[in-house]
Amino acid sequence: MAEYSAPLKDMRFVLDNIADLASLSKLDGYEHAESDVVDAVLEEAGKFASNALSPLNKSGDMQGSHVKDGVVTTPDGWVDAYAGFVEGGWNGISAPEEYDGGGLPSAVALATVEMWNSANLGFALCPLLTQGAIESIIAHGTKEQQDKYLKKLVSGEWAATMNLTESQAGSDVGALRSKAEPAEDGSWRISGQKIFITYGDHEMSENIIHLVLARTPGAPAGTRGISLFIVPKYLVNDDGTLGERNDLKCVSLEEKIGIHASPTAVMSYGDNGNCVGYLLGAENKGMACMFTMMNSARLGVGTQGLAIAERAYQQAVEYARDRKQGQAPGMPKGEMTPIIHHADVRRMLMTMRANIEAMRCLIYLNGACLDRAHHGPDEDARTKAMGMAELLTPLSKGWCTDLGVEMASLAVQVHGGMGFIEETGVGQYYRDARILPIYEGTNGIQALDLVGRKLGLQGGEPVKNMFADMQETVKALAEAGDEMTAMSMQLNLAVTALKEATDWLYGNAPNDPHAAPAGATPYLRMFATTVGAHLLGRSALKARAMLNDGATDTDFLKSKIVTARFFMGQILPTATALLGPVTAGADTLFAIDEELLSA
Amino acid sequence: MAEYSAPLKDMRFVLDNIADLASLSKLDGYEHAESDVVDAVLEEAGKFASNALSPLNKSGDMQGSHVKDGVVTTPDGWVDAYAGFVEGGWNGISAPEEYDGGGLPSAVALATVEMWNSANLGFALCPLLTQGAIESIIAHGTKEQQDKYLKKLVSGEWAATMNLTESQAGSDVGALRSKAEPAEDGSWRISGQKIFITYGDHEMSENIIHLVLARTPGAPAGTRGISLFIVPKYLVNDDGTLGERNDLKCVSLEEKIGIHASPTAVMSYGDNGNCVGYLLGAENKGMACMFTMMNSARLGVGTQGLAIAERAYQQAVEYARDRKQGQAPGMPKGEMTPIIHHADVRRMLMTMRANIEAMRCLIYLNGACLDRAHHGPDEDARTKAMGMAELLTPLSKGWCTDLGVEMASLAVQVHGGMGFIEETGVGQYYRDARILPIYEGTNGIQALDLVGRKLGLQGGEPVKNMFADMQETVKALAEAGDEMTAMSMQLNLAVTALKEATDWLYGNAPNDPHAAPAGATPYLRMFATTVGAHLLGRSALKARAMLNDGATDTDFLKSKIVTARFFMGQILPTATALLGPVTAGADTLFAIDEELLSA
């Protein structure tokens, strides 16, 4: 099993041609994101991922994290790897320069997030959550809070966690019961138990800043009565030094199917009545603050889906080149053929490759939209970009994490019997990937977000804009001719079906409360796959243009066209066929009584 | 987590209406398979599965099997459970009565195999392999071999294994190197190492009969030079008592993603030059003998896919009824709704249910075809039934095991965060299921078997017969009218597309050696899903007829119609859409050079 190798060329191609890095580097605050700087950053990140993180992936899985007396021990090598991560400045490369961040666009940062997670998903979860906390404190913190916490979080000297879930409050966050009572000094006293807290405790950073959702006295029921609190593991003195240990602790860790290295903690706050927290944002507006954090985290988790698929793909290709079985047509007689030459194996590899390239387009574009939403030249541009970013987020999270599982499973299959043996390593990706469709909002929740919120966002403008973009690709492919003609027709069929499904949802959701939820999951799949095809179509057009302009890297550029053709011909048709399932309504879903379902 | 509960009513419905039990019980040798006998057998089997096997499933997974000094220890409870299994007469219920078997049709036996595997897949693998050996010795053994081994194997006092794989010979069985040298007494001396040997050693049965593929001196290369040998763990004296320990041993066990309880052994034969084996069938005809065993095992493994999906479904329904989150439309205000009332959760459960019912139809029908192939009234009927059984086998193995993984993954998703925690138990199904698309011929091999052998079998008669059956269902659904009309149209679209794909394969495979392998995997999916829809359509027609005849079990019968509608509307369309992918040819598969794939 070789170590992970960052696909720098593919990443750069997507940054240039889909995220439009050149235009990002013209935005206020991103001027230094010049081509050679980005190249250097990606190259260095690739080295760190391959050399420092990837070698710990399997040993971390086997060893796992453990808790004793409330103190979590991470696997061997974790503390040093984290120190190297902080030292390299990787933790804050997209954070604002005023907090000592790198000030790079999110699109570029996401390429590094992809690398950390391909190399070692169990490790990379820790900085992923810190990232969400940074964004939340930037958006909602007071000046004092920002001064107190941001530089340390940006550097990574302090890590952060996200505390939503309680045993009775999972997807239904509004059901949480943790409490916050005001103290005389203006701070709050937090009490309650939280579950599924990723990196709830560890010794890699000198402090951990927990962001905790809780209810204040007399708060309204449901999500409208939730407030967000900053709850440091060690209280922070006014001079920035660490004070006393706060009254919170890790009670236990979960035994999980995968990501064994990542400690998933049950956290208890205020067992001794003295857990100090500080309100972040306004009282009862915790959900809004949490959504800042969650949107960032959702895109991050989508990136994890892409990342695990990429890692699994690399290993599958390597195995398929080494392993010899049988004899493929046209290969030398009398010797066994490397299985990469068998059509069915090649189908699996191309399926992974095409999906990975489509996911990367979607994820980096989503990041670029966020960059434009925050740094765009004017209010209109920023609003438009934010609408698109918000529309794409459930697609990134839902589709890329479903595919993460599916592609990891396919990589196991490429390995045959060896795929089921833990030693091979590919099984870890299959186990690790399974959390991705669940956490940061299950993919069912993502689908509901898409049909329930995103279709109507900004009066439907982002959806209209996406359709306009897709139709432009259909047209450009048709105009390009040759092998692009078939792609144009295939994409057009998909866009037309998606439009019909969308119109059906707009038409039926207002009258039938079950209509949109019933079709939400296949609709997300259909939407995301069609967007993926559109972006690969755009990639193919760019590659063709470069070839026409005499670019020398012909094999690479031609491969971009092949991947697009494969995606349109092999993957897109089943998504297009979801029109019927999306628009069937809830009738057959509920036609069998629940009693009989379990009979 | 409740124990498994056998879905007796569903099983019986499929046996009656799809496998046509009434007609099976009219065949020579199956006269005693009367309705009340079958009911009693299924009911007792259900009790044993629930009470004896299911409670050991999770503990067996946690404890696993272990090897020390060549002796394998199975998890606590395994030895007693196996003794109970033997005592109950479950091991040989479909074996001929002359060997003390139950003489029941395979279709009925498969219902019990489903139960054992739903209850405890890691346990049930052991008798699954014994079953294959029984069939192989019946088909190819000498009278002496049959007398010596069959009664003990049928009772289960002795277990059996299947030894094909060597490290360089997986899918490519012909590459194996194990040797057999003739001895003076007419027996053979076996030497070589085999890997992935399920239940290669254990102490549950007093003897283990290994069936081992090896090469005799001067044998031709490849699969035409392979012979099959009976290699007992303890040699068997002429009076049937056990003699000395044979020269074979378990070297080690694999660490696997799942089925931890099932010992997957590396077996070494003849380390001391004295491993005694007996030729089974003719020299160099081992592949034919092994195929007898494999075809049985492939249908058994397909049944495992169905079984794990059923178990995962039961647990998902139970969880969805208990777990409350959020508020579904139309449910009581001010309280949380059991998630089973959320449309998206219901979609996941119905997807599992519909796929499970379709798989059960396919598997039991496949079993019934085997019964008619062996007990049919005349040569023509037997040949026709065997053709259908052989056509269905790769569909049963390939489709049902892919779905086993997919449905187990869906059951994890229904559980949300709890699904990722080992304690919940559903994660075990996700881990266990992953071996099913791999062993007994990877699903890629199944797809190649379908396009390469089964399409042309008997001059294409079985395929023609299946199309005729499907078109009859299309017609009958149309004639039935009402909600059956839409089903008829949906099924007709699918059958028409499948016909087109089939014709394309018939037309292109002879000229392009890559054409059929390139489309094989989506073709298998398309074929099996269409057959599944056809069988559910037939179920719906039968249910409707019974309702029209005044049957009283109206809710149950109506649910059969709903499931068929759901399958046709929600699951079938994406299979129909595989026409394009199947008929695209190998062009894009091989258009990117292997070097660039790993760049």
Side-chain angles (χ1 to χ4, degrees), chain A residues 88-426:
Chain A
W90 297 117
N91 197 64
I93 69 163
S94 65
E97 289 170 289
E98 65 177 300
Y99 304 114
D100 302 342
L104 285 171
S106 297
V108 176
L110 283 167
T112 67
V113 172
E114 182 194 326
M115 293 184 207
W116 317 141
N117 281 285
S118 283
N120 192 330
L121 197 140
F123 176 90
L125 264 168
C126 184
L128 195 69
L129 288 163
T130 305
Q131 188 57 33
I134 291 169
E135 293 179 27
S136 203
I137 294 174
I138 288 175
H140 307 285
T142 62
K143 177 75 172 59
E144 190 200 341
Q145 288 170 335
Q146 291 172 342
D147 289 345
K148 202 164 197 170
Y149 298 104
L150 280 174
K151 286 194 178 181
K152 294 284 192 180
L153 286 170
V154 165
S155 72
E157 289 164 275
W158 298 352
T161 73
M162 198 164 154
N163 292 246
L164 291 82
T165 307
E166 300 176 11
S167 59
Q168 79 293 346
S171 295
D172 189 351
V173 183
L176 67 83
R177 295 182 194 140
S178 289
K179 282 183 191 159
E181 301 274 347
E184 287 189 359
D185 63 354
S187 69
W188 299 73
R189 293 298 166 271
I190 311 296
S191 61
Q193 201 174 72
K194 296 284 181 177
I195 64 170
F196 298 157
I197 307 310
T198 299
Y199 277 92
D201 187 59
H202 57 85
E203 304 277 276
M204 304 192 299
S205 59
E206 47 185 49
N207 201 3
I208 301 173
I209 308 304
H210 301 285
L211 295 201
V212 181
L213 284 182
R215 297 188 174 283
T216 56
T223 51
R224 277 173 299 187
I226 293 174
S227 305
L228 184 61
F229 297 87
I230 297 174
V231 186
K233 178 178 176 184
Y234 295 98
L235 297 181
V236 182
N237 299 319
D238 287 340
D239 64 357
T241 58
L242 296 186
E244 61 180 311
R245 180 71 157 78
N246 206 352
D247 176 20
L248 60 91
K249 70 162 189 284
C250 168
V251 176
S252 61
L253 297 182
E254 305 290 353
E255 295 285 340
K256 309 184 297 292
I257 300 175
I259 53 167
H260 293 152
S262 166
T264 304
V266 175
M267 296 294 296
S268 191
Y269 293 92
D271 285 358
N272 304 311
N274 196 27
C275 177
V276 178
Y278 309 96
L279 187 65
L280 177 60
E283 199 175 338
N284 293 334
K285 297 292 180 192
M287 280 305 285
C289 303
M290 200 42 106
F291 261 110
T292 303
M293 194 163 177
M294 270 200 298
N295 276 329
S296 161
R298 285 175 175 182
L299 182 51
V301 171
T303 309
Q304 294 187 304
L306 159 64
I308 201 111
E310 168 69 33
R311 178 72 184 259
Y313 167 73
Q314 289 190 11
Q315 186 164 333
V317 170
E318 185 193 16
Y319 185 82
R321 293 187 68 179
D322 281 357
R323 172 72 172 171
K324 294 176 181 171
Q325 286 289 274
Q327 171 132 41
M331 297 303 289
K333 298 279 175 204
E335 55 187 78
M336 288 174 127
T337 306
I339 62 171
I340 198 167
H341 296 292
H342 289 292
D344 193 60
V345 172
R346 195 66 79 102
R347 165 181 288 283
M348 292 192 268
L349 297 176
M350 282 300 296
T351 300
M352 297 177 76
R353 185 182 179 87
N355 275 316
I356 287 165
E357 292 194 12
M359 284 192 269
R360 189 172 288 125
C361 288
L362 172 60
I363 295 277
Y364 293 8
L365 175 63
N366 200 342
C369 290
L370 282 174
D371 291 326
R372 293 192 184 94
H374 295 124
H375 295 256
D378 55 55
E379 185 69 26
D380 276 0
R382 289 193 293 271
T383 303
K384 185 176 171 185
M386 184 52 93
M388 186 59 78
E390 291 200 28
L391 172 63
L392 296 183
T393 299
L395 306 184
S396 296
K397 198 283 176 180
W399 186 55
C400 297
T401 59
D402 276 347
L403 284 181
V405 172
E406 294 169 29
M407 297 306 105
S409 184
L410 215 45
V412 170
Q413 191 69 19
V414 170
H415 285 73
M418 290 307 295
F420 199 62
I421 309 300
E422 288 285 7
E423 189 190 352
T424 313
V426 69

Side-chain angles (χ1 to χ4, degrees), chain B residues 377-385:
Chain B
D378 55 54
E379 185 69 28
D380 277 0
R382 288 194 293 271
T383 303
K384 185 177 171 185

